[in-house]
Amino acid sequence: MTYTGLSDDAWRRVRACLKGHPGLYIKQEAPTRRFVEAVLWMARAGAPWRMLPAEFGPWNSVYKRFARWQEKGVWQRLMDQLAADGDLEWVMLDSTVVRAHSCAAGAKKAKETKTLGVHKAGSPRSSTASPTASATRFASR
């Protein structure tokens, strides 16, 4: 699976949050975007830092910058601001994607359930073979 990164709209929202953070100086936008995408890749993959793909840069540099931002509280503030302005487009459901289980269809349930191998006195044994399965009948014992 290929990681496609942040959309331009998502990056604009993240960049606006980052620019408003006190004590955080973003010199160049492209490397900062690649760094944020590297952190998102790590969060999704759950992999060790050493497994970071080379397209994001040296893993140790990415980790050190991540740790510095963590100490400054950048990630917490970013998550708080993005959560306050949540985009629920991906959470919305409608009836076209919700399916009920067959037991929820309203069919009446049997009043008594039989346990395996136990029959009531006087009730005939039932066959498990379907009528269309075979013309051969098995003799009951």
Side-chain angles (χ1 to χ4, degrees):
M1 181 190 288
T2 304
Y3 177 69
T4 58
L6 288 171
S7 67
D8 290 337
D9 182 51
W11 170 244
R12 280 192 289 276
R13 292 175 64 198
V14 169
R15 183 184 62 205
C17 294
L18 293 176
K19 285 191 175 189
H21 194 278
L24 188 64
Y25 177 68
I26 301 172
K27 191 188 312 186
Q28 297 175 339
E29 188 174 321
T32 303
R33 181 175 181 166
R34 189 176 67 218
F35 163 69
V36 171
E37 289 178 350
V39 172
L40 291 175
W41 185 90
M42 290 298 299
R44 287 183 178 149
W49 284 99
R50 290 181 186 261
M51 300 300 292
L52 186 69
E55 66 191 61
F56 295 118
W59 72 268
N60 198 26
S61 299
V62 174
Y63 170 74
K64 285 180 181 179
R65 188 173 184 182
F66 171 80
R68 282 194 308 267
W69 281 26
Q70 179 66 28
E71 289 174 4
K72 291 181 179 182
V74 174
W75 298 116
Q76 185 62 48
R77 182 170 180 198
L78 180 65
M79 293 301 130
D80 291 342
Q81 287 181 353
L82 292 176
D85 184 31
D87 179 12
L88 300 177
E89 176 182 343
W90 300 102
V91 180
M92 301 302 285
L93 295 176
D94 64 6
S95 63
T96 61
V97 295
V98 177
R99 305 222 189 274
H101 192 270
S102 60
C103 67
K108 295 194 177 200
K109 297 180 181 175
K111 292 187 179 186
E112 293 182 22
T113 58
K114 296 180 182 178
T115 56
L116 189 60
V118 177
H119 295 283
K120 282 190 202 175
S123 66
R125 290 186 165 208
S126 61
S127 171
T128 57
S130 67
T132 59
S134 174
T136 307
R137 292 276 195 201
F138 295 102
S140 61
R141 295 182 188 168

